[in-house]
């Protein structure tokens, strides 16, 4: 009986997890769900059917995958202590390895998480907060606030204008089509198609002086994938 109950609880957790996953994706394939939860695609089909029977409006579009019909929202969820602790660790990493714009947004999001925690969880989280530190070398200084607007431009596929200073402190203005951000060699780098040079360029974010959104769509019709560009990097760290 205990084993049967545990199996049932595991399935409930998985169904809830699938529902959350569907909430965070526009489309997701059965294969991706299978990979995420380490179950067979046949089990995925059964779980989707179970959610449909519970009134969750899930639809399917070939070849993109499953999606939740617009207008359905999951009620606010609670966090267990381990999930809250994981977010607290991430707060240190965000502060150490991103910039001021991302840190501000992350802190706002984390405060929303803390607001739904039980009083006892908040006390433990505060204690843990005082006993987790991140010490980085002086060379890692992210004293800029460009990552958030760059993220927005990448997701919107929008042309931006950047004021940039190169290694020799020579300044220039460029209109670029940003395709991605890569953290390598202990610095953030913007990978973008440069209209001035008519080729892909690697801009170190710490050398970007200003970012201006032009609200113009990309002019180049097809871009190299970031995964392909990574293969061209001079170092593998």
């Amino acid at each position: 009986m205990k084993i049967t109950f545990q199996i049932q609880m595991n399935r409930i957790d998985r169904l809830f997890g699938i529902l959350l996953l569907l909430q965070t994706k526009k489309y997701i394939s059965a294969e991706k769900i299978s990979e995420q939860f380490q179950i067979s695609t046949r089990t995925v089909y059964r779980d989707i059917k179970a959610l449909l029977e519970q009134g969750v409006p899930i639809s399917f579009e070939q070849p993109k995958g499953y999606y939740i019909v617009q207008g359905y929202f999951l009620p606010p969820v609670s966090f267990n202590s381990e999930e809250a602790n994981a977010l607290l660790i991430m707060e240190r990493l965000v502060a150490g390895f991103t910039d001021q714009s991302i840190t501000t947004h992350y802190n706002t999001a984390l405060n929303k998480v803390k607001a739904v925690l039980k009083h006892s969880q908040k006390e433990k989280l505060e204690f843990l907060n005082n006993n987790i530190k991140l010490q980085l070398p002086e060379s890692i200084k992210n004293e800029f606030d460009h990552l958030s607007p760059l993220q927005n431009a990448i997701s919107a596929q929008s042309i931006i204008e950047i004021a940039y200073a190169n290694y020799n402190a020579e300044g220039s203005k460029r209109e670029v089509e940003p395709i991605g951000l890569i953290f390598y060699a202990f610095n953030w780098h913007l990978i973008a198609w440069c209209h001035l040079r008519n080729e892909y360029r690697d801009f170190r974010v710490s050398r970007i002086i200003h970012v201006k959104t032009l609200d113009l769509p990309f002019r180049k019709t097809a871009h190299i994938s970031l995964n392909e560009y990574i293969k061209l990097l001079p170092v593998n760290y």
Side-chain angles (χ1 to χ4, degrees):
M1 177 68 71
K2 185 176 180 180
I3 294 175
T4 302
F5 177 76
Q6 184 64 44
I7 292 173
Q8 182 64 23
M9 286 301 295
N10 287 343
R11 187 177 188 229
I12 291 172
D13 289 343
R14 189 177 70 244
L15 289 173
F16 186 68
I18 292 172
L19 182 52
L20 284 176
L21 189 61
L22 286 165
Q23 290 272 99
T24 62
K25 304 284 187 182
K26 188 172 182 180
Y27 298 97
I28 187 162
S29 66
E31 290 74 21
K32 288 289 185 183
I33 297 174
S34 169
E35 181 181 330
Q36 177 78 19
F37 294 95
Q38 297 184 344
I39 55 177
S40 67
T41 52
R42 181 176 294 180
T43 301
V44 171
Y45 301 144
R46 286 200 298 263
D47 286 351
I48 293 293
K49 182 180 178 182
L51 289 170
L52 285 167
E53 290 171 350
Q54 293 303 312
V56 180
I58 300 172
S59 193
F60 181 83
E61 183 176 328
Q62 185 72 27
K64 297 177 180 178
Y66 293 103
Y67 66 95
I68 291 183
V69 176
Q70 190 172 355
Y72 178 83
F73 294 98
L74 194 66
V77 297
S78 60
F79 292 83
N80 62 37
S81 295
E82 288 76 14
E83 291 166 339
N85 291 347
L87 290 171
L88 193 62
I89 284 280
M90 286 305 302
E91 182 180 26
R92 295 292 183 271
L93 296 176
V94 166
F97 289 97
T98 63
D99 72 350
Q100 295 166 14
S101 65
I102 298 297
T103 299
T104 298
H105 292 315
Y106 185 86
N107 288 343
T108 301
L110 187 59
N111 285 337
K112 292 178 182 178
V113 172
K114 292 177 180 177
V116 301
L117 296 177
K118 298 175 183 177
H119 182 70
S120 59
Q121 289 177 311
K122 291 177 182 178
E123 287 184 337
K124 291 179 180 178
L125 201 64
E126 186 62 31
F127 175 80
L128 191 58
N129 186 48
N130 294 326
N131 289 280
I132 296 178
K133 305 297 178 185
L134 181 66
Q135 185 168 306
L136 296 173
E138 283 293 319
S139 58
I140 299 180
K141 289 183 179 179
N142 296 319
E143 297 173 345
F144 47 86
D145 58 0
H146 305 319
L147 289 177
S148 186
L150 291 177
Q151 284 182 317
N152 291 337
I154 292 166
S155 61
Q157 296 185 307
S158 175
I159 296 172
I160 57 173
E161 179 185 89
I162 61 171
Y164 189 72
N166 66 16
Y167 181 78
N168 296 317
E170 298 166 340
S172 64
K173 281 189 177 180
R174 316 281 188 96
E175 284 190 9
V176 303
E177 301 184 10
I179 65 166
L181 288 161
I182 306 175
F183 186 86
Y184 78 89
F186 303 102
N187 282 285
W188 281 103
H189 295 254
L190 172 69
I191 311 303
W193 178 263
C194 178
H195 289 171
L196 178 65
R197 303 299 184 193
N198 203 35
E199 63 181 358
Y200 290 106
R201 301 303 289 260
D202 181 331
F203 300 98
R204 206 165 102 174
V205 176
S206 61
R207 293 184 185 146
I208 295 176
I209 302 165
H210 180 69
V211 177
K212 181 181 179 182
T213 302
L214 300 181
D215 292 323
L216 297 171
F218 285 180
R219 295 202 293 266
K220 185 174 169 59
T221 55
H223 280 291
I224 187 174
S225 73
L226 202 62
N227 285 336
E228 287 299 314
Y229 192 91
I230 285 176
K231 298 174 184 178
L232 307 176
L233 296 181
V235 295
N236 62 355
Y237 60 88

